[in-house]
Amino acid sequence: MTLTRCANPVSPQGGPKDADPPEVVSCDPPNLTTKFKASSFRIEFNEFISLKNPVNEIFISPPQKSQLDTRLKGRSLVVKMEDSLAPNTTYAVTFGKAIIDLTEGNVLMGFSYVFSTGDYVDTLSLQGTLTTAFDHKPQKDVFIELYIDNNDTLAFDSLPVKVVPYYITKTDEQGNFMFHNLQNGKFKLFALADQNDDLIFNQLTEKIAFYDSLALPYYIPVPKADTTRRDSSETAVEKLVPSLAKKTDSLHKIDSVHKADSIREYLRRYPSYSLFLFEETDSIQRIQKVANPMEGMVLLVFRYPVAGLRVVPLNFDSIAPWHLEEPSKNRDSVRLWITRPEADSLTAKIILGNEILDTISIEVSKRNLQVKSSKKEKPTRLGIVNSASGSGLNQHKNKLVLTFSSPLTRWDFKRVLLFTDKDTITPRVEFYDSVKRKIIINYPWEEEKSYKILVPDSVFFGFRDITHDTIRMEFKTKGERDLGNLIVSMNMENRPGQYIVQLLNDKESIVFEEHVITGSEKVHFNYMPPGKYKLKAINDRNMNRRWDTGNYRLNIQPEEVIYFAKPVDIRANWDVEESWD
């Protein structure tokens, strides 16, 4: 429980804005007390404070069953522990970002109150980083947990799914974590994005990470200070590691960026554990979505790629052909194009192999759902998208593809016209897919030339007999001198197995191209637009040509992801060569 004062002290008007966090003046009992027998402690500050989100920010390690009771009294914070304390144990109460000054909200970061019920305070530490397994993004405010093998009835590996950890901390904004005041021993290292506040991995949607072997703590000595002036790195480390703080004169204030750099540089000398956060997936195949995005089409989205799919209608005869199936590139979704105009709904069994996965029921025709209106509604038109829209046609590696909003039922390729700067041509046109929703315009495109395509109205007809108005498309082809090539020499001597090498944009929102390799070779990414790119490699352990997540109970880590050490700058009319070990 948190109590606040009725009268709010305020700063006098004028003068510089207070940018300093609250400072600890004293602790009772003192910080780092041994033979601790009290049930509470008091922390006095140099100014009035407030507590922000104390339930989530303040925690004690090793954990207790009851929540800590926090009360504000004047410029002091009183913390009471409801549960009894274990003998000969070092405890650390971490305050995270909870302590702020009352007037400006400046946060006291990284403060911990440490005490021992035994004769000494444990002094070992353990540090590391937490990032996502798939794209290595730092993860903040995730619990990092340490377990000791002290349970007689449970296997060591099962502790994270059965009991609360022995030590806990949280990651900072950069995904870094650090434990202090650890006992000498071997620990199971686990990360948990807890969703139900019980510190136990017991929900499938909770993201986790784990270290394969046991983690060992270590001692971080305080660097020797200059006799006339305290070194900034010592100051930073002592503030980061409360158990190493000395009772000396007041510390010099240093710039926050300088402090962070000093901390990183100092701690880089000591071992660090890397954890990769992932979400386990249910191994059971399921239909995740059934939708009717447009007239005459049903979209099925599956949890995993499908093979041997059969859809058996229950509300009409399925002996005669009734649909076309259009799977996605990864085969984890399927469009069902209903070829029977009279079918206004679909009730069907979804069968994979010999197993009935589910039964679906959905409207196919939106006519039954429309509300009558006095206004005449515009008829549905056949949409057409061409692959050269926007940046033009990179004919050195891409074809000119027209994609229709519906599979075609009627067409007249001879009516498609291509205009060059001199001639009007009837190009060669052919289908690009089995369901007849994409066509290719074939022509020996010249570099850096402007072209126009004219499609008169009613050349193409799709399902439900929808067609289009006159369509004009203008685009320009690319010159080879405007594009660049990337050649990556992959040295895989020390990395056996299959790898997926991807070229992505700098935000990783687009995978431009990928190659699968099983040994050392040169990987070519040719005719690429100039720009900044990223290189990413996935250790495809099960050789299914996609990244797979992990499973804690089966002791399976997510497939390893490796990034090239720097962004790749592809320049126009240039061959860029990189070596990747």
Side-chain angles (χ1 to χ4, degrees), residues 450-468:
S450 295
Y451 294 91
K452 296 179 181 179
I453 290 179
L454 174 66
V455 183
D457 67 280
S458 306
V459 169
F460 299 104
F461 288 82
F463 280 15
R464 304 296 199 257
D465 214 33
I466 59 175
T467 188
H468 56 86

Side-chain angles (χ1 to χ4, degrees), residues 414-434:
K414 294 180 180 180
R415 294 180 62 192
V416 178
L417 299 178
L418 172 65
F419 296 89
T420 68
D421 53 359
K422 297 179 181 179
D423 303 310
T424 301
I425 302 165
T426 301
R428 184 166 61 90
V429 182
E430 59 186 350
F431 282 109
Y432 192 52
D433 64 340
S434 60

Side-chain angles (χ1 to χ4, degrees), residues 317-359:
D317 175 29
S318 62
I319 297 177
W322 62 274
H323 78 301
L324 296 175
E325 288 185 12
E326 183 185 6
S328 63
K329 180 181 178 181
N330 296 327
R331 305 193 68 85
D332 55 1
S333 66
V334 177
R335 289 184 174 94
L336 302 177
W337 298 96
I338 313 301
T339 56
R340 293 187 182 180
E342 71 277 7
D344 55 12
S345 66
L346 175 65
T347 300
K349 290 181 180 180
I350 308 299
I351 302 173
L352 292 181
N354 297 321
E355 181 182 351
I356 298 176
L357 184 64
D358 205 346
T359 300

Side-chain angles (χ1 to χ4, degrees), residues 149 151-160 162 188 552:
D149 193 3
N151 196 297
D152 296 332
T153 59
L154 297 175
F156 201 5
D157 287 341
S158 67
L159 295 183
K162 298 291 185 180
K188 175 169 288 298
Y552 177 69

Side-chain angles (χ1 to χ4, degrees), residues 517-551:
I517 64 173
T518 55
S520 298
E521 63 175 87
K522 288 188 176 182
V523 178
H524 294 257
F525 300 97
N526 294 328
Y527 302 114
M528 298 300 303
K532 298 284 187 182
Y533 294 85
K534 285 185 178 181
L535 279 169
K536 177 178 181 178
I538 299 171
N539 183 0
D540 187 18
R541 290 194 308 253
N542 57 5
M543 298 186 178
N544 64 353
R545 293 177 176 254
R546 60 184 174 87
W547 179 83
D548 288 291
T549 188
N551 186 294

Side-chain angles (χ1 to χ4, degrees), residues 43 54 65 76 163 190 194 324 401 420 513 535 574:
I43 307 171
K65 293 181 180 179
S76 296
V163 298
F190 197 84
D194 196 14
L324 296 175
V401 179
T420 68
E513 200 172 321
L535 279 169
W574 202 268

Side-chain angles (χ1 to χ4, degrees), residues 368-431:
N368 293 344
L369 304 177
Q370 292 174 351
V371 178
K372 293 184 179 180
S373 172
S374 58
K375 295 183 180 180
K376 187 177 181 180
E377 295 184 2
K378 293 183 179 180
T380 302
R381 310 301 289 171
L382 182 67
I384 306 177
V385 177
N386 86 83
S387 60
S389 61
S391 59
L393 177 65
N394 183 357
Q395 76 283 0
H396 297 283
K397 64 184 307 176
N398 300 322
K399 300 179 182 294
L400 179 60
V401 179
L402 305 189
T403 302
F404 298 88
S405 59
S406 162
L408 299 181
T409 56
R410 287 184 287 150
W411 56 88
D412 186 355
F413 290 158
K414 294 180 180 180
R415 294 180 62 192
V416 178
L417 299 178
L418 172 65
F419 296 89
T420 68
D421 53 359
K422 297 179 181 179
D423 303 310
T424 301
I425 302 165
T426 301
R428 184 166 61 90
V429 182
E430 59 186 350
F431 282 109

